[in-house]
Amino acid sequence: MIDGASDTIQFAHRHLLGIEGLSPDDITLLLDRSESYVEQNRRIDKKKSVLRGRTIINLFFEASTRTRTSFELAGKRLGGDVINMSVSTSSIKKGETLIDTAMTLNAMHPDVLVLRHPDAGAAKLLSEKVNCAVINAGDGSHEHPTQALLDALTIRRRRGRLEGLKVAICGDIVHSRVARSNIHLLNTMGARVRLIAPRTLIPEGVERLGVEVFHDMNEGLEDCDIVMMLRLQTERMHGNFFPSIREYFHFFGLDYEKLSSAKPDALIMHPGPMNRGVEIDSEVADDIGRSAIREQVEMGVAVRMACLELLTLNRPETEQRNL
Ligand code: NCD
């Protein structure tokens, strides 16, 4: 028995590489464990010793504020040793360098590697080369599982459930790992997902994932319980995806007028970083009654604590693998 975590708790996965492939039970287990950390994080004494003796390395090949900080806090609040490594994108050679770095780090016996990388599939590749657990903190436009989990925790706390809710994900879907992980999670948990964006920002064939697609905010937001806004990921754009920021905000930026198509108590969410006046109006973003944006950040720490805990529980003391 470790600090309130029953030794019968089992998470059936070695790594957390994405939401795709997780069962409703896996997701519920992660959310329930996260819930137990929300209260702990509001106390004066926030520390436990669940991860005492364990080493967590944050390996970030892309810029990050909240994700990296929140993994660091999560590891420290559970009593682990956390090392941060930020690698500037300009100095890396894809693939080969990642593997070289992985092998170097692996030799230092970390227990968890948290990886953010501009290439889709980087976390999976890393997981095949190291002995420890790997958490994907965002791989290109592919997945960002802990973001979807913290979004789900925020929604579940506000609405009491995920099943049956109508969730609109709006904006730059095509470049968004947050959108992809949320689609998988919300579908798995029985919510109904709508995507709203200009045609250029919707991935081809996305309907196959079981979502409805809209190109008009008022139509798409109609009767929605949750409105999730996304940043335009200009760093991943090669070419012109929309005529101008002004026009984009006019048609797709969330303001009170467009929001009035959703349910009167619809919750406003955004993973951050926000671009005010681009995808969201400042007043809407700061609406204390309706915006859950700050709560999402709070839930992020609790979710990452649960992920670190569940991935390190019940692991054999020594694991060997030939690299
Ligand atoms: C997101 C990301 O990095 O994918 N941010 C985050 O993790 N909070 C979304 C974004 O960068 O727009």
Side-chain angles (χ1 to χ4, degrees):
M1 188 101 161
I2 309 168
D3 269 359
S6 153
D7 53 4
T8 58
I9 289 182
Q10 283 281 0
F11 183 62
H13 304 267
R14 268 179 68 92
H15 309 286
L16 181 64
L17 304 177
I19 298 291
E20 193 178 6
L22 295 187
S23 67
D25 283 350
D26 291 331
I27 294 169
T28 304
L29 172 64
L30 283 162
L31 295 180
D32 289 348
R33 281 311 291 162
S34 307
E35 191 71 59
S36 73
Y37 286 119
V38 176
E39 281 317 306
Q40 182 189 323
N41 285 336
R42 290 180 180 174
R43 289 190 209 128
I44 303 275
D45 181 0
K46 301 172 181 60
K47 201 124 178 171
K48 288 209 174 191
S49 53
V50 175
L51 294 184
R52 195 173 52 206
R54 311 289 176 116
T55 306
I56 298 137
I57 302 182
N58 282 331
L59 184 56
F60 277 62
F61 288 83
E62 262 189 3
S64 169
T65 312
R66 63 216 88 214
T67 305
R68 198 200 52 72
T69 315
S70 114
F71 267 112
E72 183 175 356
L73 275 179
K76 287 182 171 166
R77 284 187 185 167
L78 291 179
D81 296 312
V82 185
I83 307 294
N84 291 310
M85 289 190 55
S86 295
V87 190
S88 95
T89 357
S90 59
S91 67
I92 59 159
K93 286 202 188 81
K94 291 174 194 164
E96 196 184 46
T97 308
L98 175 66
I99 294 170
D100 280 348
T101 313
M103 291 177 79
T104 307
L105 295 176
N106 195 54
M108 299 179 196
H109 302 293
D111 298 282
V112 184
L113 272 171
V114 179
L115 178 74
R116 169 167 288 194
H117 196 279
D119 293 342
K124 176 151 195 322
L125 180 67
L126 185 72
S127 74
E128 287 160 4
K129 304 288 171 192
V130 296
N131 306 103
C132 63
V134 173
I135 299 181
N136 180 7
D139 60 331
S141 304
H142 179 227
E143 279 233 38
H144 189 356
T146 56
Q147 180 68 44
L149 288 163
L150 74 87
D151 291 338
L153 184 64
T154 308
I155 298 172
R156 205 179 73 163
R157 285 171 62 86
R158 289 281 193 122
R159 292 290 178 267
R161 69 197 158 98
L162 295 164
E163 202 182 343
L165 294 180
K166 231 187 230 183
V167 183
I169 307 179
C170 320
D172 187 359
I173 316 280
V174 75
H175 298 108
S176 177
R177 50 201 179 201
V178 174
R180 212 153 272 106
S181 290
N182 263 304
I183 293 169
H184 288 306
L185 190 148
L186 292 163
N187 275 343
T188 306
M189 301 309 278
R192 287 151 66 192
V193 181
R194 294 174 157 207
L195 305 180
I196 316 175
R199 285 173 206 283
T200 48
L201 295 177
I202 294 272
E204 222 174 285
V206 76
E207 290 88 350
R208 278 199 304 266
L209 296 181
V211 295
E212 280 183 275
V213 174
F214 294 85
H215 304 296
D216 178 272
M217 284 290 271
N218 293 320
E219 244 179 74
L221 288 180
E222 201 182 328
D223 223 20
C224 280
D225 300 276
I226 312 289
V227 183
M228 217 179 255
M229 301 308 298
L230 298 173
R231 181 177 67 89
L232 286 174
Q233 308 233 337
T234 44
E235 73 275 24
R236 298 189 211 285
M237 290 183 191
H238 306 289
N240 291 330
F241 285 78
F242 49 89
S244 71
I245 295 288
R246 226 171 126 240
E247 187 169 328
Y248 183 82
F249 181 74
H250 177 73
F251 287 109
F252 293 97
L254 187 68
D255 54 16
Y256 280 116
E257 202 254 301
K258 297 187 190 83
L259 186 61
S260 65
S261 301
K263 285 206 175 136
D265 63 345
L267 202 61
I268 301 156
M269 301 178 71
H270 194 306
M274 249 187 308
N275 284 324
R276 293 165 183 266
V278 180
E279 72 271 3
I280 191 163
D281 179 69
S282 235
E283 263 187 75
V284 175
D286 296 332
D287 188 329
I288 314 173
R290 314 223 15 208
S291 164
I293 297 171
R294 269 186 253 164
E295 205 171 311
Q296 287 173 268
V297 179
E298 182 187 1
M299 294 308 126
V301 182
V303 157
R304 282 152 188 145
M305 288 166 88
C307 293
L308 290 172
E309 179 196 23
L310 291 175
L311 287 171
T312 49
L313 266 184
N314 309 321
R315 278 183 88 90
E317 272 297 304
T318 50
E319 289 174 298
Q320 290 298 325
R321 185 183 298 182
N322 293 326
L323 293 176

